[in-house]
Amino acid sequence: MTAISLLLVHAIALGNIALLYLVPVMFAAARYGLRAGLFAGLASSLAYNFFFLPPTGTLTVDNPANIISLLVLLGVAIVTSQFAASARAQAQRAQESARQNAMLAGFSRHLSAAAGQEELMQSVCTEIARLLDVRAILLTPSVEGPILRAAVPPEDRIDRIEAAAAQWAMDHLQPAGRGSITLTASDWLFHPLHTQRGVVAVVGMARDDGDLPIPTGHDALVTSLLDQAAVALDRMALEDQMLEARQVAERDRLRAALLSSVSHDLRTPLTSILTAAQALRQEQGSTLVDTIESEAQRLNRFVANLLDMARLEAGALPMRVEATDLLDAVSAAIADTRQALAGHMVTVDLSPDLPLVRVDPVLLHHCLINLLDNAGRYGAPGTTVIIRGRSEADAILLSVIDQGPGIPAGQEARLFETFTRLAGSDRAVHGTGLGLTIVKGFAEAMGLSVAASNVADPSGACFTIRIPDTVMIGNMTLKDLA
């Protein structure tokens, strides 16, 4: 610029030559930043003074007016440098923002293309490793501790220190490991992936050269990547749960339809068999007829259980609540299960002061005959089946006790699941696995509850229907007397 100014010194005024020196100042600031612009401004002021202000060839200034011109040139150069540097910084920030947005868009696109949870986890590790030039692993929480689910490179594993750092990150929702303030002995930096539903995973990052896993200035990018990964994993988990729920609902619907269809189809021939058996007994009185009728009655109870189960699951269970005497209910149930209780003594031990209760007598009857049928089939031959009723402060406990092997510890609640028969207990004998489920469903429909336990005297299984005080006769209404 000095050479050009020397050529033009006779053609333009000395003040205009000072303006020419602003060109390299703006170029240096815009291209290389503020420091380069300030240096160019100072160099331009010195060159202007040396070559053009008299006495030329020195840095001395004789004319005070020229001093002012020199200072103005320097000030304008500084301001111009700042403006040019600011514009350069804004352009760089815009470029970096566009680059990060493109990276985030590509990351989101790769995650959306994953077909399953395992593929999604591997995609998270692959993209983080590619975008940040790191090694990446992904772990999920479990009761045994963090479980490694994906890694890039795939041979990466973690030791106890890394597992402790990953667990700490999950528990405290904060980064842990190298570059953080916690468990810095770990070579990996772990970041938790969490949503409103909790921690879904933790991502670990490390570098082969031992440097900090997250480069300077990339914190915002890493946070955005991890947030997207957390949302994608949470969405995939919800989709899996919804699919499983739909499959369970469809399975239950098909099962209910099958139960209803089979039970209805069996009811008609069973009725005919029972009618024919009763007619044959009146005519011949053969023991074979008794066998036919007994087995038909047992099969009829199975079909009734199927129908009742279908009604329970369909929510179409009819119920008529009325005042019911528990002694009458127990006596009727014993009479209807005399075949199932053959070979057993039956002891009825009901407190004489038991009040009437407000329940559906038909549903209570079904509960009792299923419990007695269980006791008759699963109790040891020749043993006694006990029906016991006791009053407590806020409930009546009506129990049926058999003398069989009992129930495996910890499996009491499973007995009431549909089609459940536990191996290694007195619940593994032949049966449909519906009776106790129906007892539980009917009891809860009437506001009662049922529980299973083992007893020591006599040794065996005990099934107890708890009748709360809210349905006792003390709370009877006029509707109960109708």
Side-chain angles (χ1 to χ4, degrees), residues 5-278:
S5 300
L6 288 173
L7 295 175
L8 299 177
V9 67
H10 300 292
I12 60 176
L14 189 61
N16 293 332
I17 290 178
L19 297 178
L20 293 177
Y21 277 99
L22 295 179
V23 175
V25 173
M26 295 178 61
F27 175 80
R31 184 67 181 272
Y32 302 106
L34 178 60
R35 291 183 179 180
L38 293 176
F39 178 79
L42 180 60
S44 297
S45 299
L46 293 177
Y48 179 66
N49 180 21
F50 186 83
F51 289 103
F52 297 102
L53 294 182
T56 60
T58 68
L59 296 178
T60 304
V61 180
D62 293 337
N63 191 344
N66 291 336
I67 294 177
I68 295 175
S69 299
L70 184 61
L71 294 176
V72 170
L73 173 61
L74 182 61
V76 172
I78 292 174
V79 172
T80 303
S81 297
Q82 290 178 335
F83 280 126
S86 176
R88 177 176 179 272
Q90 290 181 359
Q92 289 178 337
R93 285 195 296 269
Q95 291 176 354
E96 181 64 19
S97 178
R99 187 180 69 86
Q100 291 190 4
N101 289 337
M103 294 170 62
L104 292 173
F107 184 70
S108 178
R109 185 170 60 254
H110 281 89
L111 298 189
S112 300
Q117 195 170 52
E118 295 299 326
E119 183 179 346
L120 175 60
M121 292 179 180
Q122 191 61 42
S123 293
V124 170
C125 288
T126 301
E127 290 304 302
I128 288 179
R130 182 181 64 85
L131 295 175
L132 301 178
D133 191 24
V134 295
R135 292 153 52 204
I137 57 175
L138 187 144
L139 304 97
T140 55
S142 72
V143 293
E144 293 84 11
I147 299 177
L148 182 63
R149 302 293 297 274
V152 175
E155 62 272 11
D156 271 338
R157 295 295 182 268
I158 60 173
D159 57 22
R160 296 179 62 181
I161 295 178
E162 275 72 38
Q167 187 63 56
W168 194 93
M170 291 179 183
D171 294 339
H172 297 83
L173 303 182
Q174 294 290 333
R178 186 172 182 81
S180 69
I181 60 174
T182 304
L183 299 173
T184 56
S186 172
D187 292 333
W188 293 78
L189 173 63
F190 293 95
H191 275 267
L193 304 183
H194 61 91
T195 63
Q196 293 181 348
R197 299 196 312 130
V199 175
V200 295
V202 64
V203 169
M205 294 169 284
R207 289 187 177 276
D208 294 329
D209 57 8
D211 200 358
L212 294 179
I214 300 179
T216 303
H218 285 67
D219 292 339
L221 173 62
V222 171
T223 299
S224 298
L225 292 174
L226 296 178
D227 288 344
Q228 284 196 17
V231 171
L233 288 169
D234 192 47
R235 186 193 71 244
M236 184 67 72
L238 288 175
E239 290 177 355
D240 291 344
Q241 292 175 7
M242 291 176 62
L243 178 60
E244 183 179 354
R246 285 196 296 267
Q247 291 173 343
V248 170
E250 181 64 16
R251 184 170 65 247
D252 290 344
R253 186 188 66 80
L254 292 175
R255 184 180 62 186
L258 178 62
L259 289 175
S260 179
S261 176
V262 171
S263 57
H264 278 94
D265 290 342
L266 289 176
R267 177 57 62 86
T268 300
L270 274 174
T271 303
S272 301
I273 293 172
L274 287 171
T275 302
Q278 291 169 1

Side-chain angles (χ1 to χ4, degrees), residues 318-403:
M319 188 165 61
R320 186 179 185 276
V321 176
E322 59 184 61
T324 303
D325 187 289
L326 292 179
L327 181 59
D328 292 343
V330 169
S331 300
I334 293 173
D336 285 350
T337 53
R338 59 185 180 276
Q339 295 293 338
L341 295 173
H344 296 275
M345 293 287 294
V346 179
T347 300
V348 178
D349 182 16
L350 299 183
S351 297
D353 59 346
L354 293 181
L356 298 178
V357 293
R358 191 168 60 248
V359 295
D360 185 317
V362 176
L363 298 188
L364 180 61
H365 182 73
H366 277 283
C367 291
L368 292 173
I369 64 174
N370 274 295
L371 293 179
L372 290 173
D373 183 68
N374 271 329
R377 286 189 291 119
Y378 304 143
T383 58
T384 301
V385 174
I386 301 174
I387 305 172
R388 181 177 295 159
R390 293 289 185 268
S391 290
E392 292 192 343
D394 58 349
I396 296 174
L397 302 183
L398 186 60
S399 303
V400 176
I401 304 171
D402 65 52
Q403 297 183 44

